[in-house]
Amino acid sequence: MSKIYNNDSNKFETINEFKESVIYGCEVEFIYRGKLYGITRLEVDNINLYSPKENGFEGIDILLPSIDALLDYEIDGARIRDIILDAEITGRNL
């Protein structure tokens, strides 16, 4: 990720704020259950969700076709839409 800023305003207030941020090219890093994840919009119909391979975790690197597919994607049994507002946002380009 390039130029990710980390400060107290990283948290998303609503799902719509998160959706608009990703749609308009915001890159996001967050921690969920002790694992680091990143989200990058590569082009109109491709959103990359990734997590590094570390500490016994296999890691992921997948392309999702839309923001709604991203929100419905499950990590550790929870949909991203259900965790992103409470996840620890460790970086977000503004």
Side-chain angles (χ1 to χ4, degrees):
M1 289 189 173
S2 61
K3 292 200 176 190
I4 296 292
Y5 301 97
N6 186 5
N7 61 42
D8 293 337
S9 66
N10 283 345
K11 215 160 188 50
F12 292 99
E13 297 294 322
T14 66
I15 292 295
N16 279 338
E17 178 191 5
F18 172 76
K19 286 173 75 169
E20 287 178 7
S21 293
V22 173
I23 288 169
Y24 290 110
C26 178
E27 298 174 33
V28 178
E29 290 180 342
F30 66 97
I31 294 176
Y32 180 66
R33 294 191 177 168
K35 298 174 193 154
L36 177 67
Y37 295 89
I39 298 169
T40 306
R41 181 174 166 256
L42 301 176
E43 53 192 60
V44 173
D45 294 327
N46 283 315
I47 297 171
N48 180 231
L49 173 66
Y50 61 89
S51 183
K53 182 178 181 177
E54 62 184 8
N55 300 329
F57 177 60
E58 289 299 314
I60 55 174
D61 189 7
I62 61 168
L63 288 179
L64 297 156
S66 68
I67 188 68
D68 289 318
L70 171 71
L71 287 167
D72 289 334
Y73 188 82
E74 289 188 10
I75 53 176
D76 283 346
R79 295 180 309 166
I80 289 177
R81 82 171 57 250
D82 296 330
I83 63 169
I84 197 64
L85 299 182
D86 295 321
E88 178 186 349
I89 307 299
T90 58
R92 173 179 174 184
N93 64 351
L94 304 171

